[in-house]
Amino acid sequence: MPATLPQPEPNAQGPAVASASGTTPAPRTPQPLSAGDISRIVEMAWEDRTPFEDVEREYGLPEAEVIALMRRTMKPSSFRMWRKRMAGRQTKHRGLNEARRAG
């Protein structure tokens, strides 16, 4: 019988990796998302004040994967409405928020 390996915690970041800008967490191995996780990600994506960076930190999904998830789980008209709302919305990008405050 093969031994089972312990699974990392859902929010575990993995070992740190040195980069040009300092030490950053290593990318996680993608874990299958439960129906509850998908529901929460969709909810966070619809929220105006929740940046994509928070979704990535909590679930390991970068913005492009959140968009792909939204496309798969929503009706086409709902997806288009969401994309229209999110287009250029500064509150969905932490970097844009910080640049706007500093400027």
Side-chain angles (χ1 to χ4, degrees):
M1 175 185 278
T4 59
L5 299 175
Q7 295 296 317
E9 291 295 319
N11 295 331
Q13 291 294 321
V17 175
S19 68
S21 62
T23 303
T24 58
R28 293 184 322 157
T29 303
Q31 299 292 321
L33 296 171
S34 69
D37 290 340
I38 292 171
S39 177
R40 180 63 184 133
I41 292 167
V42 169
E43 180 182 355
M44 291 173 80
W46 269 103
E47 292 171 348
D48 291 340
R49 299 259 177 215
T50 304
F52 288 113
E53 291 86 356
D54 287 355
V55 176
E56 184 170 8
R57 182 176 34 81
E58 192 167 331
Y59 293 99
L61 291 178
E63 179 181 354
E65 289 183 32
V66 172
I67 292 169
L69 176 80
M70 296 293 278
R71 186 184 305 272
R72 285 191 311 268
T73 58
M74 300 171 75
K75 295 188 302 187
S77 61
S78 297
F79 176 77
R80 285 190 300 273
M81 183 186 335
W82 175 75
R83 287 298 290 158
K84 187 175 181 180
R85 274 189 60 173
M86 295 302 110
R89 187 171 293 267
Q90 293 179 343
T91 56
K92 293 304 283 185
H93 299 278
R94 189 172 309 255
L96 291 176
N97 285 333
E98 293 166 0
R100 188 171 135 218
R101 283 187 216 132

